[in-house]
């Protein structure tokens, strides 16, 4: 492999990077032009519908398909016995069957699939299936699931993982503390709710290979599972990412495996193209949710505001199957004290199986839950100390030379930069005085301002091999084609890769394009998760582009009679820095290189440095770099109705080198709105394991009327150690803090103590009544 080096270039060195670029495909998306999976399904289609359990936990005694098969248009009904390969649809662990065999473990688990000539016939046949169940004892409370006599959800302990942090001597720290504060916090199941539900379209190619077009985040993960379900050799399946209408985590998890497998099994059975797509209620029942957490925080502090000890217990309900629950727990525990230096820490996290809906990948991956608990805890401590929350935080934040709860030394000033800027932009001190005077003069509409801080370990860290692969080919017209298994689903991450390629090759951004991710054309690129496309994918893109640039440089140096080191690639031209009049267009250089049989295709690969930490103590460096952030929330609370109006959010993030400022702004604003919804309204309601609100009538997400009236986003730039040009992760991060900042603002305005989300009007009103 040809060696390349990356320079952490200064701002003046960039022609494309750092400029405001409209996200690739944005105009078409606004105009409704993209073709999603269901839009491209053509031919003599068959339709696939899953038959789902009406029980929370039960044995399957019999499956009678006779009535369903008599329905006109029904072509096949498949159960677990009809799966030609391995009945395994677990995203990482092989604990979840595609179709239940002997036992169903949660409401809505798939038992069979119907293949029919029409969607209506498939739906009707599914309702005609006669399945006999014998109910089994169930457990839906994670605390109960940990009891010795609890019903077992699977044929294993209900405790999936126990994660520990041991730093210093926590009991000694508490004994030396002047004040010890204890609180219990609770969060709920939340759906990532991508606008487009899961869908897959499969068809036979002339070669006999099955091609599957799917709405998903991770083509190679889905491909790897489906090829085993089909019992195929790898060459007999091709997986293509369709234009994907939102991801937010669920489409990186298990449901894309489901729909892709359903469609491919139908094509394999009938020889016809097949479409499998979830209805909205089906998606909301089956999609992996954000984990509900129960978090107990106990914190010791001195009278002058120095943190001395922190003890946390975290219980995460991962539902009936593990999904990525053990990994979510890891990230949560690694961040459970917030972005503060605490010399003595004891943390215990427990990932627990229940008969609830499955929890797994959802935007933030454990970080929103623990930062909510830590940041509200910090405000409750500040109140007990009679200290301004900003002053209290300033005494304890992670600055260069401090150490995290895992004893990782921080040398990055990003948090301090974000903190100071957020306080200044929000006019914190003036508004505190202003709102205090306002609240003295009114009994109904109370105003408040609250702050929350974060740090977020970048990319996969300890979760798995953190790599990316990117292919670049130069076309005869002198333009660049970038291909990768990394995906875009509205994030704009792919735009950053195009910008990196354009920067390195000296091309206008418009001369670089990208094709759809296709396992038949590109190498495994790792998953599109953990906000890692720009950071890790950008490094692979740089390497691929630099390889081609080096090859072209040899041709250009000969043509221009200059040294390779003097060459400048810029704005579609190549010239000598020593003698700028010696130049050639990039297109002409490509033609000449092709005449000389120079290879103008390359593959870039990047593997992040291995992270090291001790599983027994949690000590070490679980992440190579961190993104930092601060959010200030201004709220108004109607004390007669409990209604909350978020007047302004002031988020400030350290995203390292910002590759695309316009894209970053969109991510910050979208995440701020999503985080607001998480804080004040979103909740999956369950009753003994059954989801009661699997629709947009009763599961509320923010409309334009619920959004913050002003989102005053800003950034600072403190270069990361591994990201391309010093970039840091940002995609997930803006969802993390709004809930905590809003909770702290409400608490300061009204005197109520917020320890649970969502903060719905009924809860706020009840809390206000208790205070009165």
């Amino acid at each position: 492999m040809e060696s390349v080096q990356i320079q952490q270039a200064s701002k003046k060195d960039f022609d494309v990077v750092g400029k405001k670029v409209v996200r690739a495909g944005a105009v078409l998306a606004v105009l409704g032009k993209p073709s999603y999976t269901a839009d491209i399904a053509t031919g003599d289609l068959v339709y696939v519908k899953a038959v789902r359990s009406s029980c929370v936990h039960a044995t399957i005694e019999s499956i009678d398909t006779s009535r369903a098969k008599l329905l006109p248009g029904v072509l096949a009904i498949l159960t677990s016995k009809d799966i030609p390969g391995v009945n395994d649809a677990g995203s990482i662990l092989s604990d979840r069957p595609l179709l239940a065999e002997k036992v169903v473990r949660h409401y809505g688990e798939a038992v069979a699939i119907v293949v029919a000539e029409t969607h209506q016939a498939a739906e009707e046949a599914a309702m005609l299936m006669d399945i006999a169940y014998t109910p089994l004892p169930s457990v839906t409370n994670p605390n109960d699931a940990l009891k010795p006599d609890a019903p077992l959800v699977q044929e294993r302990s209900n405790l999936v993982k126990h994660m520990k942090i041991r730093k210093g001597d926590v009991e000694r720290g508490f004994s030396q503390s002047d004040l010890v504060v204890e609180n219990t916090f609770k969060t709920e199941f939340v759906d990532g709710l991508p606008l487009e539900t899961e869908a897959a379209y499969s068809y036979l190619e002339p070669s006999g290979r099955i091609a599957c077009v799917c709405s998903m985040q991770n083509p190679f993960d889905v491909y790897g599972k489906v090829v085993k379900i089909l019992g195929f050799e790898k060459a007999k399946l091709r997986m293509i990412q369709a234009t994907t209408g939102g991801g937010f985590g669920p489409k990186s998890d298990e449901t894309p495996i489901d729909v892709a497998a359903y469609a491919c099994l139908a094509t394999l059975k009938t020889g016809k193209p097949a479409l499998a797509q979830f209805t909205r209620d089906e998606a909301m029942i089956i999609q992996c949710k954000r984990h509900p957490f129960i978090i107990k925080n106990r914190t010791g502090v001195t009278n002058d505001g120095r943190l001395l000890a922190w003890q946390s217990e975290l219980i995460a309900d991962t539902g009936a199957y593990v999904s990525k629950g053990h990994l979510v727990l890891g990230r949560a525990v690694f961040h459970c004290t917030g972005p503060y230096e605490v010399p003595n820490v004891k943390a215990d996290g427990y990932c627990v199986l229940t008969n609830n809906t499955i929890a797994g990948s959802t935007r933030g991956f454990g970080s929103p839950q623990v930062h909510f608990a830590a940041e509200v805890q910090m405000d409750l401590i500040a109140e007990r100390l009679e200290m301004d929350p900003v002053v209290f935080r300033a005494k304890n934040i992670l600055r260069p030379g401090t150490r995290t709860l895992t004893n990782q030394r921080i040398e990055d000033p990003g948090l301090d930069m974000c903190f100071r800027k957020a306080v200044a932009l929000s006019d914190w001190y003036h508004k505190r005085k202003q709102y205090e005077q306002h609240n003295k003069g009114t009994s109904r509409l109370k105003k408040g301002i609250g702050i929350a801080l974060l740090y977020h370990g970048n990319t996969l860290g300890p979760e798995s091999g953190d790599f990316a692969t990117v292919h670049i080919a130069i076309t005869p017209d002198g333009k660049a084609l970038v291909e990768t298994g990394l995906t875009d689903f509205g994030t704009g991450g792919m735009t950053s890769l195009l910008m990196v390629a354009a920067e390195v090759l000296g091309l206008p951004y418009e001369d670089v394009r990208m094709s759809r991710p296709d396992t038949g054309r590109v190498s495994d690129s790792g998953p599109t998760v953990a906000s890692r496309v720009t950071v890790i994918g950008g490094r692979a893109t740089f390497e691929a582009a630099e390889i081609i640039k080096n090859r072209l440089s040899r041709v250009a140096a000969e043509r221009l009679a200059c040294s390779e080191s003097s060459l400048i690639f810029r704005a579609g031209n190549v010239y000598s820095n020593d003698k700028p009049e010696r130049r050639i267009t990039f297109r002409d250089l490509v033609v000449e290189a092709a005449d000389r049989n120079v290879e103008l295709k390359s593959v870039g690969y990047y593997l992040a440095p291995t992270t090291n930490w001790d599983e027994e103590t949690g000590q070490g460096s679980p992440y190579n770099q961190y993104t930092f952030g601060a959010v200030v929330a201004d709220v108004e609370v109607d004390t007669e109705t409990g209604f909350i109006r978020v007047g302004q959010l002031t988020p400030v993030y350290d995203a390292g080198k910002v590759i695309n400022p316009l894209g970053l702004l969109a991510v910050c604003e979208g995440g701020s709105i999503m985080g607001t919804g998480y804080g004040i309204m979103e909740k999956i309601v369950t009753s003994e394991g059954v989801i009661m609100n699997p629709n947009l009538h009763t599961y509320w997400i923010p409309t334009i009327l619920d959004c913050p009236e002003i989102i005053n986003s800003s950034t600072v730039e403190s270069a990361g150690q591994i990201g391309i040009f010093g970039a840091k992760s940002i995609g997930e991060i803006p969802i993390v803090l709004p809930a905590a900042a809003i909770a702290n603002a409400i608490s300061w305005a009204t005197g109520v103590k917020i320890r649970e989300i969502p903060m719905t009007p009924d809860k706020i009103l009840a809390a206000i009544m208790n205070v009165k």
Side-chain angles (χ1 to χ4, degrees), residues 137-139 141-153 156 158 353:
S138 62
V139 58
N141 182 303
N143 282 314
D144 291 340
L146 289 173
K147 294 177 180 178
D149 59 348
L152 292 180
V153 177
R156 53 158 296 168
N158 290 339
L353 291 169

Side-chain angles (χ1 to χ4, degrees), residues 406-424:
T406 70
N407 217 26
Q408 182 173 359
R409 185 179 173 88
I410 297 295
E411 299 295 353
D412 190 328
L415 179 59
D416 195 34
M417 294 164 68
C418 291
F419 183 33
R420 291 173 182 274
K421 191 169 186 178
V423 170

